[in-house]
């Protein structure tokens, strides 16, 4: 039964990706999109892929810095290969890559899964904090652009009407407040009963793990170097999106603030629980570029090329890491990919 539910879950997520991709291209001239993809200046993409590779090396070093204080000392290359195998797995099995990379590291360096998984949770907490900071910076730096987009595209030019008669917004706000207060009251009133619920207890344990992960950063021997690698990783992500603007005439003149917006909202798309962010990433990037005056067909062409190039890089680097890890551990493919499925049935890392 569990295997059937797992298959149904992945089938549903795959369907979501397909629907979002269909939404992104519906009503668009596919021939124009194809022409834009064919005529892109791919020399800039080569630069972004080199930067991306450097970012992966830096991210692996950062992960090793998190593992070392636990008393386990895996080699840098074992950590790197395990991480890349995890990224490769995420292209096929959404939300499973983090568990799989911990399983690979256990087989190559004898680092217990629960130990490395704790560092992955910490890593995710840090990335979420950075991403929220970037979101705030993006909205502050380009507030007028986003506000104009919301009033024109989302509200359909009805902002003036709502400003003259804000009653609907006030009523909706009051209803939301009442529902929120009612939810909080219900939770507190039934707190003892909730504590007997297995799902509630898992959520509590997960939140405690997140907080412990944040404070574990204080135990690092070189906090400055850790923060430097974190900053470098996100700088690479930014440059990948910004430099890709120069691949297309339509996006060539976009500025650095637009690059920050694409990075931020594209990262939210990649965080969606679908294989490789396919679908959510394309819709988010297309939508944010629309706010900067880029047509939908040009926006989806940009998203396709950027996502495609990074996926190709992960396949190449992850494939090499997979082969190296299998040779070192002496295990079969199934031994690595099936064991994490058992762990993941009771742990959700993202």
């Amino acid at each position: 039964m569990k295997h059937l539910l797992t298959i149904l879950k992945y089938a549903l997520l795959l369907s979501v990706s397909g629907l979002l991709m269909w939404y992104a291209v519906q009503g668009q001239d596919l021939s124009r999109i194809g022409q834009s993809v064919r005529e892109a200046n791919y020399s800039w993409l080569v630069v972004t892929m080199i930067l991306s590779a450097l970012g992966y090396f830096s991210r692996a070093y950062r992960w090793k810095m998190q593992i070392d204080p636990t008393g386990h000392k895996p080699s840098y290359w074992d950590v790197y290969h395990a991480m890349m195998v995890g990224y490769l797995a995420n292209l096929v099995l959404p939300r499973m890559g983090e568990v799989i990379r911990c399983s690979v590291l256990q087989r190559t360096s004898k680092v217990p899964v629960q130990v490395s998984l704790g560092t992955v949770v910490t890593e995710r907490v840090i990335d979420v904090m950075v991403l929220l900071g970037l979101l705030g910076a993006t909205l502050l730096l380009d507030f007028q652009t986003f506000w104009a987009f919301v009033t024109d595209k989302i509200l359909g030019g009805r902002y003036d009407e709502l400003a003259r008669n804000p009653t609907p917004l006030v009523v909706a706000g009051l209803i939301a407040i009442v529902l929120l207060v009612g939810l909080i009251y219900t939770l507190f009133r039934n707190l003892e009963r909730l504590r007997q619920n297995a799902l509630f207890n898992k959520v509590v344990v997960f939140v405690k793990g997140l907080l412990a992960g944040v404070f574990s950063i204080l135990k690092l021997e070189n906090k400055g170097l850790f923060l430097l690698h974190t900053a470098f990783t996100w700088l690479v992500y930014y440059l990948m999106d910004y430099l890709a603007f120069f691949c297309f005439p339509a996006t060539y003149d976009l500025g650095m603030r637009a690059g920050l917006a694409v990075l931020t909202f594209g990262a939210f798309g990649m965080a969606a629980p679908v294989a490789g962010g396919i679908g959510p990433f394309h819709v988010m990037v297309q939508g944010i570029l629309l706010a900067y005056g880029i047509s939908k067909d040009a926006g989806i062409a940009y998203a396709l090329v950027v996502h495609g190039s990074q996926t190709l890089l992960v396949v190449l680097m992850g494939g090499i890491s997979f082969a190296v890890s299998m040779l070192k551990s002496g295990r079969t493919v199934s031994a690595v990919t099936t064991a994490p499925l058992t762990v993941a049935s009771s742990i959700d890392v993202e």
Side-chain angles (χ1 to χ4, degrees), residues 67-269:
I67 296 173
D68 285 347
T70 66
H72 301 276
K73 303 288 183 180
S75 72
Y76 168 79
W77 288 111
D78 282 348
V79 172
Y80 163 77
H81 290 313
M83 184 190 76
M84 292 309 304
V85 170
Y87 287 153
L88 180 64
N90 273 335
L91 297 179
V92 182
L93 301 172
R95 307 172 69 90
M96 284 298 301
E98 312 305 351
V99 180
I100 287 176
R101 69 155 143 165
C102 294
S103 176
V104 171
L105 191 61
Q106 181 188 41
R107 297 181 185 281
T108 57
S109 298
K110 310 303 179 185
V111 179
V113 170
Q114 63 270 24
V115 172
S116 55
L117 197 57
T119 62
V120 170
V121 172
T122 304
E123 183 182 81
R124 284 291 172 261
V125 171
I126 295 169
D127 287 339
V128 168
M129 293 170 63
V130 172
L131 188 55
L132 292 177
L134 291 175
L135 177 62
T138 300
L139 296 177
L140 287 174
L141 289 173
D142 246 351
F143 178 78
Q144 293 298 330
T145 298
F146 291 109
W147 184 244
F149 178 74
V150 169
T151 56
D152 182 38
K153 301 295 183 182
I154 298 179
L155 297 179
R158 291 177 294 177
Y159 172 73
D160 292 335
E161 178 183 343
L162 290 172
R164 288 191 299 269
N165 182 24
T167 303
L169 291 178
V170 173
V171 172
L174 289 174
I175 292 174
I177 292 173
V178 170
L179 290 175
L180 180 61
V181 171
L183 177 62
I184 294 174
Y185 174 76
T186 303
L187 288 174
F188 273 100
R189 185 166 184 174
N190 297 277
L191 190 58
E192 290 301 323
R193 187 180 302 174
L194 285 171
R195 285 173 177 167
Q196 300 174 9
N197 182 276
L199 178 61
F200 178 79
N201 289 326
K202 282 186 178 182
V203 172
V204 171
V205 170
F206 181 71
V207 172
K208 287 181 178 179
L210 293 183
L211 294 175
V214 173
F215 289 109
S216 70
I217 303 300
L218 301 176
K219 300 178 182 178
L220 292 176
E221 296 180 1
N222 195 332
K223 302 178 185 65
L225 185 60
F226 179 86
L227 294 175
L228 179 63
H229 278 283
T230 299
F232 178 77
T233 298
W234 281 93
L235 175 62
V236 165
Y237 291 159
Y238 170 75
L239 290 175
M240 283 161 45
D241 292 328
Y242 175 68
L243 294 178
F245 285 160
F246 301 117
C247 294
F248 304 92
T251 58
Y252 192 89
D253 294 324
L254 289 178
M256 300 184 74
R257 287 183 295 184
L260 182 62
V262 170
L263 164 65
T264 303
F265 289 93
F268 279 110

